[in-house]
Amino acid sequence: MTTHPEPEARMRALAADLVRDGSIRSPEWESVFASVPRHHFVPRWYEAATDPRGITVWNERDDTDREAWLRTVYSDATLVTGLEPGTAERVGDRAWTGVATSSSTQPGLMAGMLEDLRVGDGHRVLEIGTGTGYNAALLSARLGDCLVHSLDIAPELVETAGRRLAALGFRPALAHGDGRAGFPGGGGFDRIIATCSVPRLPDAWIGQLLPGGSILADLDLGIAGGLMRFTPEEDGTVLGRFTVTTGQFMPARADALSYGSAPRVPYAPDSGKRPSRVTADAIRGAYPFRLLLAFALPRAELVHHTDDDGTWSVQLQTSEGAWARVPLGGESYVTEGGDGALWREAEATWSWWNEQGRPGLNRFAVVREPDGRMHARCLSTQARWDLGT
């Protein structure tokens, strides 16, 4: 592998930075990050800005300014590399609106995940979400490309990643298709790593895992979620524990063109405001509590809301039209729409979490039962939440 001396120095500097911040925890991965050129996989990206109307505009950047390009590529930042074709609209010479669909993940997050994956020599790995191909290159440099398989929903991403990988001498097995269905032609993997989020653990991943294997994936539970390492148990269940690395990914897609959105009924009428024991700061600042809300309210979502007077709030809402919001800034009142059950559950969850001594993420697990059902469990109290079908 040959690169320009300047990028080589930046590769080494990035690896050293990731060691210092704790993302890289082993000499093997330090060597890999210092030798695989990220800039080879990110010749261009899109930088977000907000126009006067409050609309996100994506400004295209490339290597025209070589110094700025290399500085950005070797920073610890996620870089958006693709926009959904159906939403992308040109609004300037090199500016677009649209929905981001692919990216080169923050190197610190990638490094932490690869460490959490706990690969060893000879391990056969499946990556769900090829993207730019950079992560597949890192895995190939660590394990040998004959042990690396990678899958993406977008055939053009797979094709481009394949060319970039081959130019560096890597030829892992690549395929395109719905990653939730596993690798075409069968499995037999020691490790599966997903760089997209899923609301539940797909059957195909478990079926393609070898005995003693594990799966690292971002479990999206709506209000919250996180990176979890799943391991099959002897009784047929699969136990997921949160990793020390935190991060979130774009959701897995059923097709290459659109994420889609679930239809929702109109919002329920405003039924007034009342005092609340739970504030917006509590929801935003206490992630374990937000995770508990996801367990207790598996069909709810968390959004930011702005009133006509400019007041910003954190809002819980469901597709059935119920909603409840608390203002940012620490004020302790809630405004609701619907029968009030949504916020009563939030307050009951807050009380339980405080009564239990505010347990952290390491005290919770997600269990997939042999019949496919999933539930969450507090390991210290054995409290259980059904996550639905």
Side-chain angles (χ1 to χ4, degrees):
M1 179 188 310
T2 59
T3 56
H4 191 278
E6 185 184 12
E8 285 181 348
R10 292 178 184 272
M11 290 151 58
R12 292 192 297 268
L14 175 62
D17 288 343
L18 298 180
V19 170
R20 278 192 293 271
D21 71 18
S23 300
I24 291 178
R25 306 186 288 276
S26 65
E28 292 85 359
W29 283 117
E30 180 182 6
S31 176
V32 166
F33 273 85
S35 64
V36 176
R38 189 188 189 201
H39 70 278
H40 179 74
F41 296 92
V42 191
R44 65 169 188 166
W45 74 96
Y46 295 94
E47 186 176 78
T50 304
D51 74 4
R53 300 166 295 170
I55 296 174
T56 298
V57 173
W58 299 99
N59 295 298
E60 187 177 351
R61 305 297 189 213
D62 58 21
D63 61 354
T64 303
D65 182 340
R66 182 177 176 80
E67 170 60 27
W69 171 55
L70 290 174
R71 184 173 61 249
T72 301
V73 167
Y74 287 101
S75 65
D76 191 19
T78 294
L79 303 177
V80 170
T81 55
L83 304 176
E84 185 175 342
T87 66
E89 179 181 346
R90 185 185 292 274
V91 293
D93 182 36
R94 302 186 67 190
W96 307 76
T97 60
V99 176
T101 57
S102 59
S103 64
S104 178
T105 303
Q106 177 186 4
L109 174 54
M110 296 175 68
M113 290 182 68
L114 291 170
E115 291 282 11
D116 291 336
L117 192 60
R118 304 178 192 176
V119 296
D121 293 345
H123 277 165
R124 196 164 181 256
V125 176
L126 170 61
E127 175 193 31
I128 309 294
T130 307
T132 66
Y134 181 46
N135 202 53
L138 295 169
L139 284 164
S140 295
R142 171 65 180 84
L143 299 170
D145 56 8
C146 62
L147 294 173
V148 177
H149 298 64
S150 188
L151 177 66
D152 201 286
I153 191 67
E156 69 277 5
L157 290 182
V158 174
E159 181 181 348
T160 300
R163 290 198 303 269
R164 292 170 178 167
L165 286 159
L168 297 179
F170 297 132
R171 290 176 174 79
L174 304 180
H176 77 266
D178 187 344
R180 292 167 297 186
F183 198 78
F189 300 106
D190 298 284
R191 299 288 186 268
I192 296 176
I193 179 172
T195 54
C196 56
S197 66
V198 290
R200 57 188 307 103
L201 202 59
D203 293 344
W205 295 1
I206 299 168
Q208 293 195 343
L209 201 62
L210 289 171
S214 61
I215 300 167
L216 186 65
D218 174 16
L219 191 68
D220 182 2
L221 299 173
I223 294 173
L227 292 171
M228 305 195 77
R229 189 170 183 267
F230 293 92
T231 54
E233 305 289 296
E234 291 184 358
D235 62 1
T237 63
V238 179
L239 179 67
R241 299 288 298 273
F242 288 95
T243 67
V244 296
T245 304
T246 58
Q248 293 180 305
F249 287 91
M250 297 175 185
R253 292 181 285 167
D255 61 72
L257 298 178
S258 176
Y259 284 105
S261 58
R264 58 172 300 121
V265 301
Y267 289 116
D270 186 333
S271 58
K273 66 175 62 175
R274 63 175 177 84
S276 171
R277 289 175 289 162
V278 183
T279 66
D281 290 345
I283 295 175
R284 299 176 79 202
Y287 196 82
F289 167 59
R290 196 151 79 247
L291 179 70
L292 279 173
L293 280 181
F295 294 163
L297 300 167
R299 290 192 306 233
E301 60 180 341
L302 186 67
V303 299
H304 283 93
H305 173 86
T306 180
D307 289 328
D308 293 339
D309 64 3
T311 301
W312 280 88
S313 302
V314 170
Q315 177 167 301
L316 284 175
Q317 61 188 36
T318 69
S319 59
E320 291 80 22
W323 57 272
R325 71 177 71 110
V326 284
L328 296 174
E331 295 183 74
S332 55
Y333 68 85
V334 59
T335 307
E336 299 175 282
D339 61 8
L342 191 63
W343 203 251
R344 286 196 298 273
E345 185 63 48
E347 291 181 315
T349 301
W350 173 256
S351 296
W352 185 91
W353 185 60
N354 281 276
E355 290 164 1
Q356 301 304 319
R358 298 192 169 197
L361 292 183
N362 64 334
R363 302 312 305 153
F364 296 98
V366 171
V367 179
R368 182 193 183 277
E369 298 166 12
D371 62 4
R373 292 180 299 170
M374 295 182 69
H375 70 267
R377 182 189 301 166
C378 178
L379 299 174
S380 53
T381 68
Q382 296 306 307
R384 173 174 165 156
W385 297 265
D386 183 3
L387 298 181
T389 56

